[in-house]
């Protein structure tokens, strides 16, 4: 029923998709199937993202990430974590919780690095940069310790359009 959920969601049938994935989650919980639970939470997150309910979407992506991170170094689980972490950060960002989104984007960079995918890592690093940019726009030129810490963790020294942020990290 998770696959049917994906189809209904793609066709715009969010209510039906949520019913199907709720059933898939129930079965996964009864079977104690962590992979199926994580994938169901990712689909629930995607359904809520499609209807612009970013807070509930983020919570479901975070549940999937929590499950996936129990199996940190397995490639299958890293792939599931990547599928949850990036969207969790994105949905958290869309709620306006920029400081909460930033560590999720940083975690996304770490996961991409473990997966050995340079393109994915570059996209994840871009999200860190974008998030840091929005945080500085919100607080202007005042130093923000979370941005500074994030930039140091990401090893960013200069990013087009955000050079003024990166300069604070030294």
């Amino acid at each position: 029923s998770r696959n049917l959920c994906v189809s209904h969601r793609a066709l715009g049938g969010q209510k039906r998709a949520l019913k199907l994935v709720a059933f898939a989650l129930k079965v996964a919980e009864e079977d104690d199937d962590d992979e199926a639970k994580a994938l169901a939470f990712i689909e629930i997150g995607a359904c809520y993202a499609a209807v612009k309910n970013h807070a509930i979407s983020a919570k479901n992506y975070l549940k999937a990430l929590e499950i996936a991170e129990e199996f940190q170094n397995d490639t299958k689980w890293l792939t599931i974590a990547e599928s949850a972490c990036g969207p969790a950060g994105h949905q958290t960002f869309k709620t306006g919780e920029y400081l909460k989104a930033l560590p999720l984007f940083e975690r996304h960079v770490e996961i991409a690095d473990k997966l050995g995918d340079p393109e994915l890592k570059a996209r994840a690093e871009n999200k860190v940069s974008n998030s840091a940019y929005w945080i500085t726009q919100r607080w202007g030129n005042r130093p923000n310790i979370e941005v500074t810490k994030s930039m140091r963790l990401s090893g960013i020294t200069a990013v087009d359009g955000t050079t003024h942020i990166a300069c604070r990290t030294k």
Side-chain angles (χ1 to χ4, degrees):
S1 60
R2 190 178 63 80
N3 290 338
L4 284 173
C5 163
V6 173
S7 298
H8 279 279
R9 184 172 49 81
L11 295 171
Q14 305 309 320
K15 286 183 181 181
R16 183 77 174 140
L18 278 170
K19 286 180 184 178
L20 290 165
V21 77
F23 178 73
L25 179 60
K26 181 180 177 185
V27 171
E29 288 172 341
E30 288 172 0
D31 293 346
D32 198 29
D33 183 343
D34 287 334
E35 180 180 0
K37 283 191 274 189
L39 293 171
F41 282 125
I42 288 169
E43 285 306 320
I44 292 169
C47 286
Y48 280 106
V51 295
K52 311 260 188 269
N53 194 330
H54 306 298
I56 293 175
S57 175
K59 286 179 185 178
N60 282 282
Y61 282 121
L62 288 170
K63 287 177 187 178
L65 181 60
E66 185 179 318
I67 293 168
E69 286 191 329
E70 291 178 24
F71 308 93
Q72 288 182 23
N73 294 317
D74 181 286
T75 303
K76 173 178 76 173
W77 286 100
L78 281 170
T79 303
I80 292 171
E82 187 278 319
S83 297
C85 192
H90 187 68
Q91 294 303 311
T92 301
F93 189 84
K94 284 189 167 195
T95 67
E97 296 287 343
Y98 306 128
L99 289 175
K100 289 181 181 177
L102 195 55
L104 292 167
F105 291 139
E106 292 166 351
R107 180 69 183 121
H108 195 213
V109 171
E110 293 169 14
I111 292 167
D113 193 42
K114 284 183 180 180
L115 285 169
D117 186 334
E119 184 179 331
L120 179 61
K121 185 177 179 186
R123 285 195 313 266
E125 286 173 338
N126 187 47
K127 289 178 183 177
V128 170
S129 176
N130 289 342
S131 183
Y133 173 79
W134 280 103
I135 290 168
T136 59
Q137 291 304 303
R138 184 174 183 179
W139 285 290
N141 290 327
R142 295 178 304 196
N144 183 298
I145 191 67
E146 294 302 317
V147 174
T148 304
K149 186 175 16 169
S150 170
M151 294 304 222
R152 283 188 186 138
L153 289 173
S154 299
I156 296 172
T157 56
V159 178
D160 287 344
T162 59
T163 314
H164 64 285
I165 298 168
C167 292
R168 289 190 203 151
T169 65
K170 294 181 179 177

